[in-house]
Amino acid sequence: MNELTTSSERNKTSWILVSISTMLTASIIFWYFNNPEGFIENGIGFRKDVFSNIFIWIFTLFIIMGYIAYTIIALPFVKAHLFTISRLKVIGIWAAIVAGIVEEVVFRHLLMEYLLTIGYSEVTQILISGMFFGIAHGAWVLLKGDWKFAVPAILSTAILGSLLAMLYILAGRSTFAPIIAHILINMVIEPWLMLSAVSGKWDSK
């Protein structure tokens, strides 16, 4: 990793992840203490029957394995560091957990429940959720002017967002399975995905 990225790039990535993770952690703490039972049951989506449908968890595993496989094929840099253990990886695990929770609460629970209340169909909810998810995750690459990776990043995360939205609906509008999928995907590919964006190094060489 040291040959591919500079100390400055790794430090910048660390600070970005720490800053984002701190804000997301604060959001989780606020939501929890504002309404503990509501946050656990509706925000996190943890209910008594959450493990009762095996199909939901097979679909969850399909999403996890599919997106990780796509990422390591599309981004050799991520593949090259998949099993690298470092201080940056520890920060990446923290970021994976809090981002997985907050993003699923926002893009699935809050957004899709709002769309439901104003009369949008489930298909439209899935498409809108995926679209916003893709834009949110591809914007940082787009701002760097790196169109070669910005467009695939937006499209791939939009597809991931749509699959997670489908999972949310199939799970009885519970965010628990999407959160688990999101966290596990992020745990594998972060912080290398962020380091790639910061350094502009997408290949393994």
Side-chain angles (χ1 to χ4, degrees), residues 26-195:
S27 298
I28 293 170
I29 292 171
F30 173 78
W31 285 335
Y32 177 79
F33 283 102
N34 186 53
N35 183 3
E37 291 185 5
F39 179 63
I40 295 299
E41 185 173 343
N42 299 316
I44 299 295
F46 187 79
R47 304 163 187 166
K48 292 180 180 179
D49 62 345
V50 76
F51 295 110
S52 63
N53 189 336
I54 188 64
F55 170 75
I56 296 302
W57 295 102
I58 292 174
F59 188 36
T60 301
L61 184 61
F62 167 78
I63 294 172
I64 294 167
M65 295 180 67
Y67 196 76
I68 289 173
Y70 164 77
T71 303
I72 62 179
I73 291 171
L75 300 174
F77 181 92
V78 174
K79 180 181 179 181
H81 302 301
L82 211 56
F83 301 105
T84 301
I85 304 300
S86 66
R87 172 180 59 87
L88 193 55
K89 183 61 179 179
V90 174
I91 297 171
I93 291 172
W94 173 29
I97 294 170
V98 294
I101 294 173
V102 173
E103 290 179 10
E104 289 310 305
V105 170
V106 171
F107 290 104
R108 252 54 72 184
H109 178 62
L110 295 179
L111 175 59
M112 292 180 68
E113 291 307 302
Y114 170 73
L115 294 173
L116 178 65
T117 62
I118 59 176
Y120 282 92
S121 68
E122 290 183 344
V123 172
T124 304
Q125 292 170 38
I126 289 169
L127 294 175
I128 292 176
S129 176
M131 179 185 68
F132 277 100
F133 190 72
I135 292 171
H137 285 77
W140 47 270
V141 185
L142 194 60
L143 289 173
K144 295 184 63 150
D146 200 341
W147 287 90
K148 180 182 177 182
F149 291 100
V151 174
I154 292 172
L155 290 176
S156 64
T157 49
I159 292 171
L160 174 61
S162 297
L163 289 171
L164 292 171
M166 289 174 59
L167 181 59
Y168 174 74
I169 290 175
L170 291 172
R173 305 189 79 86
S174 165
T175 51
F176 190 71
I179 284 173
I180 296 300
H182 199 147
I183 287 175
L184 292 178
I185 289 170
N186 282 2
M187 276 189 173
V188 174
I189 66 176
E190 290 292 358
W192 318 124
L193 193 59
M194 180 64 75
L195 183 56

Side-chain angles (χ1 to χ4, degrees), residues 193-205:
L193 193 59
M194 180 64 75
L195 183 56
S196 292
V198 169
S199 65
K201 297 178 176 69
W202 305 97
D203 296 320
S204 57
K205 298 179 180 181

Side-chain angles (χ1 to χ4, degrees), residues 1-7 9-10 77 81 195 199 201:
M1 181 171 68
N2 293 342
E3 296 177 357
L4 298 176
T5 58
T6 66
S7 175
E9 290 167 342
R10 294 191 295 275
F77 181 92
H81 302 301
L195 183 56
S199 65
K201 297 178 176 69

